[in-house]
Amino acid sequence: MIKPEEAYKADGVDEDTSYSIFVSYIEIYNNYIYDLLEETQEDAIKPKPPQSKILREDQNHNMYVAGCMEVEVKSAEEAFQVFWKGQKRRKVANTRLNRESSRSHSVLIIKLAQAPLDADGDNILQDKNQVTVSQLCLVDLAGSERTGRTGAEGTRIREAGNINQSLLNLRTCIEILRENQMCGTNKMVPYRDSKVTHLFKNYFDGEGKVRMVVCVNPKADDYEETLLVMRFAEMTQEVEVARPVDRPICGFTPGRRNRNQAFKEELSRKLEERGGPIDRANTMKSMLQQLDSNHMSNENIIHEQNGRLLEKDKIIQNNKAELERLEKKAKTQEHKIDILQKTTKIYEDDKRSAAA
């Protein structure tokens, strides 16, 4: 994969600084941590089982595996040799779906240590405060299993249960991080429920960057599991890990109180640049008051217009009543005129008859 002449190639290297690269390789099997590079005394009669390692927290609140072997490498070729050495010791088993199914989560840790040289450029300055350590962790998570499909029995069922439980806890941690971020809550994230999440709690707390690569099987038989995995991946994209302002370098970090103080100062500075929460609240309050005042004015205008409309409607109703009264009176007068005309005609007819 890498040409020999490129194995030692490095760009932008400070000549006044010494660099060293260390590789370690662990696996988390049944929620226990084992060192894949640890040399054990082989006994053909009574082989000694590997001893599990303990997670510890250093003075800078970084998690690490105590007693884990770190191998210094000088080239990419040496690093691959160390990797394949540990790869051969990983827990794998034959299942119905996979001939070499991973029964554990593996973590390949690559550390880059950087220390300044003295004035002569021959020796490293023995001052740990000037040493910088960067760390890259490559995690291979075992896939979730359904024992009905894999045909797991006995020990394989226990292994599958621990794998599924650790993956479920990882999902729970991410869901709570997402809820705290979106809803403003401060729920405790259960990192300690699983070795995988406990080991990388600092990364989720903002001390590093986290990237996830999701592998799925395009077979139709795996559609339900693929759908669940894709939904989980979609949810993780909504999580934004808050990073401290003075992001410490792995291995040598300032005190937590100093980090919190710097974070508060940076947050206050950004709030001042944006006007601060009080100023924004006052501005919003003024806007709401102005809108409320405009609304009240509009309501008063509408109320006045409604009053005028009611008065005009009352006048119209009175006019209608008066018109009806006049129309009724006119009909009565017309009826009287009609009677008078008929009486006058009869009188004239009687008068002409008497004259004849």
Side-chain angles (χ1 to χ4, degrees):
M1 289 182 287
I2 296 178
K3 297 180 181 179
E5 59 270 16
E6 296 179 351
Y8 299 91
K9 184 178 179 181
D11 296 329
V13 177
D14 186 0
E15 296 181 356
D16 296 329
T17 303
S18 176
Y19 298 88
S20 297
I21 298 177
F22 300 89
V23 176
S24 55
Y25 199 12
I26 64 172
E27 72 172 350
I28 301 175
Y29 175 70
N30 287 338
N31 210 29
Y32 289 96
I33 300 176
Y34 297 98
D35 187 359
L36 294 175
L37 303 180
E38 184 178 25
E39 299 293 342
T40 57
Q41 295 180 355
E42 296 184 359
D43 188 345
I45 299 176
K46 189 177 180 181
K48 185 178 179 180
Q51 297 295 317
S52 62
K53 303 299 179 181
I54 301 175
L55 270 180
R56 296 190 184 277
E57 186 175 3
D58 63 17
Q59 60 182 357
N60 299 313
H61 308 287
N62 294 317
M63 303 304 302
Y64 70 97
V65 180
C68 179
M69 178 176 292
E70 294 182 340
V71 181
E72 184 176 6
V73 295
K74 300 296 183 179
S75 65
E77 183 180 3
E78 291 184 14
F80 276 114
Q81 290 177 355
V82 175
F83 168 73
W84 287 115
K85 178 182 178 181
Q87 192 74 357
K88 293 177 182 178
R89 299 179 178 178
R90 281 196 62 186
K91 302 289 192 303
V92 295
N94 183 14
T95 66
R96 190 183 300 170
L97 298 180
N98 193 343
R99 187 175 60 185
E100 293 185 356
S101 174
S102 299
R103 315 312 296 169
S104 65
H105 308 301
S106 64
V107 183
L108 179 67
I109 304 172
I110 303 172
K111 289 184 178 180
L112 172 62
Q114 175 183 347
L117 299 175
D118 57 15
D120 297 331
D122 298 328
N123 300 315
I124 299 174
L125 293 178
Q126 301 299 316
D127 184 2
K128 69 177 183 178
N129 293 325
Q130 297 189 39
V131 178
T132 301
V133 180
S134 301
Q135 178 172 285
L136 172 65
C137 298
L138 302 176
V139 185
D140 181 13
L141 294 175
S144 60
E145 289 189 7
R146 294 185 180 182
T147 55
R149 296 192 61 202
T150 60
E153 296 179 354
T155 303
R156 301 292 168 258
I157 293 180
R158 181 189 174 195
E159 293 170 348
N162 283 287
I163 290 172
N164 293 340
Q165 183 61 40
S166 62
L167 295 176
L168 177 62
N169 186 71
L170 173 63
R171 181 187 183 95
T172 301
C173 291
I174 293 178
E175 286 178 345
I176 294 178
L177 284 172
R178 176 175 174 269
E179 182 181 352
N180 289 340
Q181 171 190 316
M182 300 184 69
C183 302
T185 56
N186 192 24
K187 292 185 178 181
M188 186 183 69
V189 184
Y191 294 120
R192 294 178 177 269
D193 290 355
S194 172
K195 290 292 193 302
V196 175
T197 52
H198 193 192
L199 178 60
F200 296 103
K201 66 179 289 292
N202 301 88
Y203 288 85
F204 290 107
D205 285 341
E207 300 291 348
K209 295 181 180 180
V210 181
R211 296 292 183 268
M212 182 180 294
V213 179
V214 177
C215 301
V216 295
N217 194 331
K219 290 180 61 177
D221 295 340
D222 297 331
Y223 172 78
E224 293 183 1
E225 293 185 9
T226 299
L227 187 62
L228 292 175
V229 171
M230 297 305 293
R231 286 176 177 172
F232 172 67
E234 183 181 14
M235 179 192 65
T236 59
Q237 291 181 336
E238 299 176 356
V239 178
E240 295 181 2
V241 178
R243 299 175 60 77
V245 177
D246 55 338
R247 181 168 56 89
I249 301 174
C250 180
F252 298 95
T253 60
R256 177 163 294 183
R257 181 176 301 175
N258 294 336
R259 293 204 307 269
N260 293 338
Q261 184 64 28
F263 181 75
K264 291 178 181 179
E265 292 176 356
E266 179 67 14
L267 182 60
S268 299
R269 184 183 65 80
K270 290 185 176 180
L271 290 176
E272 289 177 358
E273 291 177 355
R274 300 179 183 178
I278 297 177
D279 294 339
R280 292 201 302 273
N282 291 334
T283 303
M284 183 64 68
K285 183 179 179 180
S286 300
M287 293 174 63
L288 290 175
Q289 289 176 344
Q290 183 65 32
L291 290 173
D292 187 57
S293 177
N294 294 338
H295 180 68
M296 292 295 294
S297 300
N298 292 335
E299 284 189 349
N300 292 334
I301 294 173
I302 293 173
H303 183 71
E304 292 177 358
Q305 291 179 348
N306 287 337
R308 294 174 183 175
L309 289 175
L310 288 174
E311 292 178 359
K312 292 181 178 180
D313 186 60
K314 187 176 180 180
I315 293 173
I316 292 173
Q317 293 296 331
N318 293 334
N319 291 337
K320 284 183 178 180
E322 181 66 17
L323 182 60
E324 290 177 356
R325 186 182 65 80
L326 293 175
E327 289 179 350
K328 187 176 181 180
K329 185 176 180 180
K331 289 182 179 179
T332 303
Q333 295 297 330
E334 290 177 355
H335 182 64
K336 290 182 178 180
I337 291 172
D338 187 45
I339 292 174
L340 289 173
Q341 288 177 348
K342 290 180 179 180
T343 303
T344 302
K345 184 179 180 182
I346 294 172
Y347 175 76
E348 289 179 350
D349 290 341
D350 292 341
K351 185 178 179 181
R352 280 196 296 268
S353 299

